[in-house]
Amino acid sequence: MSDHSEVPVAPVEAFEPPYYVAVFTTLRTPDQSGFRETNARMEELVKDIPGYLGADHAQNPGGLGITVAYFRDAEALTQWRTHAEHRAAQERGRAEWYESYTLHVAKVERSHGFNRA
């Protein structure tokens, strides 16, 4: 994940279901050479996927990172998963940047939010 410290801390809004989420949880390696640049590029590219709704990111000091990406439909998620540049980044991640990761994909059937006025 990139350094999101300059981005306002607010969750992605609640969308009208159904939609899909991809929950990517990672533990990274000590050598993160090239990660920030690649991650920034992926954040640019995914915005061009029709049906991409946004993403939430969190990372603890111990290195556990979580990204939750939201997609309007399964087709949008598949388009992102199979995007050539994203596939190359996935391969590099397994080779260099991740000790381990999990990916969970789910269909959201209920969603709501709260904002203090």
Side-chain angles (χ1 to χ4, degrees):
M1 271 181 325
S2 63
D3 180 5
H4 295 280
S5 61
E6 296 178 17
V7 177
V9 178
V12 170
E13 66 180 276
F15 300 100
E16 184 65 34
Y19 57 93
Y20 287 79
V21 294
V23 181
F24 186 54
T25 305
T26 64
L27 184 58
R28 297 195 303 196
T29 62
D31 182 5
Q32 293 294 289
S33 302
F35 179 83
R36 283 180 183 250
E37 297 81 5
T38 301
N39 190 61
R41 176 69 178 146
M42 294 304 104
E43 288 180 358
E44 289 175 18
L45 284 178
V46 73
K47 291 175 184 175
D48 292 334
I49 300 293
Y52 172 72
L53 301 172
D56 290 315
H57 307 277
Q59 186 165 356
N60 74 14
L64 179 68
I66 300 172
T67 297
V68 181
Y70 304 88
F71 296 86
R72 175 51 52 206
D73 50 43
E75 293 78 23
L77 184 56
T78 298
Q79 187 176 353
W80 177 238
R81 181 178 51 84
T82 60
H83 186 284
E85 205 169 334
H86 183 220
R87 297 287 299 188
Q90 292 170 17
E91 290 175 21
R92 189 168 178 200
R94 284 189 294 273
E96 299 176 36
W97 299 318
Y98 300 121
E99 287 291 334
S100 63
Y101 69 80
T102 58
L103 175 67
H104 306 277
V105 176
K107 184 176 183 179
V108 176
E109 297 179 1
R110 187 174 37 209
S111 181
H112 68 276
F114 167 80
N115 286 310
R116 185 169 309 279

